[in-house]
Amino acid sequence: MAASGAVAPGTPAAPAAPPPSRAQAPAPEHLFRPLSAEDEEQQPTEIESLCMNCYRNGTTRLLLTKIPFFREIIVSSFSCEHCGWSNTEIHSAGRVQDQGVRYALTVRTQEDMNREVVKTDSATTRIPELDFEIPAFSQKGALTTVEGLISRAISGLEQDQPTRRANEEAVAERIDEFIIRLKELRRVASPFTLIIDDPSGNSFVENPRAPQKDDALAVTHYERTVQQQELLGLQAEAPEEKPEEEDLRNEVLQFHTNCPECNAPAQTNMKLVQIPHFKEVIIMATNCDSCGHRTNEVKSGGAVEPLGTRITFHITHPSDLTRDVLKSETCSVEIPELEFELGMAVLGGKFTTLEGLLKDIRDLVTKNPFTLGDSSSPGQREKLREFSQKLDEILEGKLTAHLVMDDPAGNSYLQNVYAPEDDPEMKVEHYKRTFDQNEELGLNDMKTEGYETDVAPQR
C-alpha cells in the first residue's frame, strides 16, 4: 500500500480520522486475534487517506490478525470510491525469524491452486518448469492463493504489452507466448512446481491435509548467508566470549530479554543439565510478569553427532508416558498408527516427558482454525476429531502405538528405564546422513581441519 497512505507535496493534509471504536482498538493483549469468521469483534480499522490515482480521499482498512501455525500479520486494503482504484498488501507483524524457509509445492490439481499463501516482500517465487522467477522486493507482500500468485504475475506482464507492441514487437510476441504458458499453468494443464524462498522465514504455504503429512509440500529451514543477512538489513552478532575456568553446571544464569508475546521486559533463566547415559544440554525458560506468558526451550550442549539417530518406541503401558524425552530442533516425530508426522523445527527443542510431548502435539493440531472454521473442507473436521480421540486413548493407556523420533543431528533422547541394559520396547538405530540432510544441517560447507591460510609466494 505504498500509494494509499502517501501525501503529495503541497497537498492539504486529510482531516483527522475519528478515534476507533472499542471493536477497532482492542486491548493490547488481544491486538492480534486469530483469523476467524465467527469473531464479531475482529473488525478492521478504517483510516481516511489520499488516493494517489485521483488525489481525492479514499479509505484504508487495516486488520491485525494471526494465521494458525504461522504468526501475526497486518492485512491492509485501500479503495477509492471516486475513481475505483484499489490495492491490498500484507505485512509481517513479527520479527525476522532465526532461519530462512523454502517451500516447494508440486501442483497437480485445482485444489492445490486454492491453497492459501503468505508471500512477504523478501520472498523469491520460482516456477522451474517455465524458468520463471519473481525476485525478492519486486512486489509487495500478499495474502493470496497459488492461483492468485500466477494471476498477479499474468497481470503484471500484460500491463505494459500495448507499449511493447508499439516499440518492441518481437519482445511483445515472446511475452505473449509466455503469458499463454502461465494461463495453461493456471488451468493445471500439467503438473508444475512452485517454489517460495524467503530468507526472513515469514512466508507460508497452507497444508490442507493437516495434521497429516503433505506429500506435495516440502518445507526446508536453512541458515541465512551473509548476503541474505545484508539484504534483510541484519548484522551478524559477535560471538560472546566464554569466561575462562568458570563452572556453570551448578549455576542458574539469568539475563534480560523481552517477552515474545507482549514485548515487556522479562527474565530468561538458563542452566546446563547433564542427562544420564546421554549428554549435556542447555535448558532455557522465560517467565513474563506482565502477561503471564511462559516458554521453555532446550539446546544441545554438544556438537552434531557423526551419525543420525532414529529411536522407535512401542508405547504399551501408561507408565511409559512418564519417560523423559529430549526433542531437539532438528528432530522429527512420527506416529505410524495415526499417520501423523511432525516435521523438524516444529515445537522447537523440548525437554519434557512422553506425555507432555503428546499433549503438545494434540494442542498444536486441535487449535488449528483452518481445520475447524469456515475454510475447512468436508470431512476434515471429522478426521481431526478422530485423530484427537485416538491420541487421547494413547494418553489414557487404552491404545498402544509406536513413537518414532528421527534426528539427523543425533541430539535427541528418550529415557531407557532399563539402562544400562537394552529396553525390549525401544529400538535405537544410528545411520549415515544423506547429502540433503547434511546440507540442511549446514555441514557440507563446514571445514574444521586443513584450513590454514595459504600465503602467496612473493615475486
Side-chain angles (χ1 to χ4, degrees):
M1 197 192 65
S4 60
V7 178
T11 303
S21 62
R22 295 192 175 207
Q24 296 170 341
E29 60 268 20
H30 302 298
L31 193 60
F32 292 87
R33 295 178 178 273
L35 190 63
S36 173
E38 301 174 357
D39 189 354
E40 296 180 355
E41 296 185 4
Q42 190 179 34
Q43 299 294 331
T45 301
E46 296 186 357
I47 303 173
E48 187 176 3
S49 53
L50 184 68
C51 174
M52 299 306 293
N53 188 48
C54 67
Y55 296 98
R56 302 173 73 177
N57 284 341
T59 302
T60 296
R61 294 175 177 85
L62 299 176
L63 179 64
L64 283 64
T65 186
K66 288 182 180 179
I67 294 183
F69 295 98
F70 191 47
R71 53 187 61 88
E72 297 89 352
I73 62 169
I74 301 174
V75 181
S76 62
S77 172
F78 175 80
S79 61
C80 178
E81 60 181 6
H82 304 291
C83 66
W85 187 74
S86 64
N87 71 343
T88 58
E89 291 181 19
I90 181 176
H91 302 274
S92 174
R95 61 180 179 86
V96 175
Q97 302 305 304
D98 296 332
Q99 292 182 315
V101 66
R102 180 180 183 271
Y103 292 90
L105 173 65
T106 303
V107 181
R108 298 187 179 93
T109 64
Q110 194 62 40
E111 294 180 355
D112 292 330
M113 298 292 288
N114 295 330
R115 293 182 186 233
E116 295 190 356
V117 175
V118 175
K119 176 188 172 297
T120 66
D121 299 359
S122 58
T124 300
T125 305
R126 293 195 297 270
I127 301 178
E129 287 79 0
L130 296 185
D131 197 18
F132 175 68
E133 177 175 323
I134 303 175
F137 299 104
S138 62
Q139 290 183 350
K140 294 294 183 181
L143 172 60
T144 180
T145 61
V146 176
E147 182 179 5
L149 281 178
I150 297 178
S151 298
R152 192 177 182 185
I154 293 173
S155 300
L157 292 173
E158 290 178 338
Q159 183 176 359
D160 296 328
Q161 278 298 83
T163 306
R164 293 193 190 99
R165 291 190 183 95
N167 300 328
E168 300 176 86
E169 185 176 354
V171 175
E173 290 179 356
R174 289 198 297 269
I175 293 179
D176 283 336
E177 295 175 359
F178 192 82
I179 291 174
I180 293 175
R181 297 177 66 185
L182 281 176
K183 289 181 178 179
E184 290 177 353
L185 289 187
R186 190 169 59 180
R187 296 193 301 268
V188 198
S190 61
F192 66 94
T193 305
L194 176 70
I195 298 175
I196 297 180
D197 192 334
D198 187 0
S200 74
N202 285 326
S203 290
F204 173 77
V205 176
E206 179 193 3
N207 173 12
R209 299 188 58 199
Q212 298 182 6
K213 179 183 178 182
D214 191 347
D215 296 331
L217 181 63
V219 184
T220 305
H221 297 270
Y222 60 87
E223 297 294 334
R224 285 185 289 270
T225 63
V226 176
Q227 292 79 6
Q228 289 172 330
Q229 295 272 20
E230 294 176 353
L231 189 66
L232 296 173
L234 303 176
Q235 295 181 353
E237 297 181 357
E240 297 181 0
E241 295 183 1
K242 184 179 179 181
E244 296 181 0
E245 299 180 359
E246 184 176 357
D247 187 9
L248 304 178
R249 290 169 178 79
N250 298 322
E251 272 189 68
V252 176
L253 303 180
Q254 290 187 341
F255 55 92
H256 298 284
T257 184
N258 289 344
C259 174
E261 285 292 323
C262 67
N263 205 36
Q267 289 281 348
T268 294
N269 299 327
M270 181 178 73
K271 192 177 189 303
L272 294 173
V273 177
Q274 178 66 42
I275 298 180
H277 305 287
F278 190 54
K279 60 172 65 175
E280 196 173 66
V281 298
I282 303 172
I283 299 179
M284 304 174 67
T286 303
N287 296 329
C288 179
D289 295 333
S290 299
C291 67
H293 178 73
R294 303 177 63 186
T295 181
N296 65 80
E297 190 174 1
V298 176
K299 300 285 187 181
S300 173
V304 176
E305 295 295 316
L307 298 174
T309 302
R310 183 181 293 107
I311 303 174
T312 303
F313 179 64
H314 189 198
I315 304 173
T316 58
H317 193 270
S319 61
D320 293 336
L321 300 176
T322 62
R323 299 193 182 208
D324 291 335
V325 174
L326 171 64
K327 175 196 170 299
S328 73
E329 292 179 331
T330 57
C331 178
S332 62
V333 179
E334 184 179 355
I335 305 177
E337 287 79 2
L338 304 185
E339 297 182 359
F340 174 80
E341 181 174 342
L342 186 73
M344 292 171 54
V346 181
L347 289 179
K350 282 188 174 293
F351 183 46
T352 178
T353 61
L354 188 55
E355 180 182 12
L357 179 61
L358 293 178
K359 286 184 176 179
D360 287 340
I361 291 175
R362 181 186 62 188
D363 293 342
L364 179 70
V365 172
T366 56
K367 292 182 180 179
N368 180 7
F370 274 125
T371 58
L372 298 175
D374 295 339
S375 61
S376 60
S377 59
Q380 196 172 31
R381 187 193 300 265
E382 179 63 26
K383 290 181 181 178
L384 185 62
R385 189 196 63 78
E386 183 179 350
F387 172 84
S388 179
Q389 181 180 355
K390 289 184 178 179
L391 197 56
D392 287 337
E393 290 178 356
I394 296 176
L395 289 169
E396 294 169 1
K398 299 179 181 178
L399 180 67
T400 63
H402 289 82
L403 180 80
V404 181
M405 300 173 59
D406 191 351
D407 188 356
N411 287 327
S412 293
Y413 161 83
L414 178 61
Q415 182 184 11
N416 176 8
V417 296
Y418 296 91
E421 303 295 332
D422 293 336
D423 190 330
E425 300 297 338
M426 184 190 302
K427 180 181 179 183
V428 181
E429 303 173 78
H430 299 283
Y431 61 89
K432 186 176 180 181
R433 286 184 291 269
T434 64
F435 178 88
D436 292 338
Q437 289 173 325
N438 282 328
E439 185 72 18
E440 194 166 356
L441 295 174
L443 300 178
N444 289 331
D445 298 327
M446 185 180 295
K447 194 171 185 180
T448 58
E449 58 184 5
Y451 51 85
E452 292 81 9
T453 304
D454 294 332
V455 180
Q458 298 180 355
R459 295 184 180 180

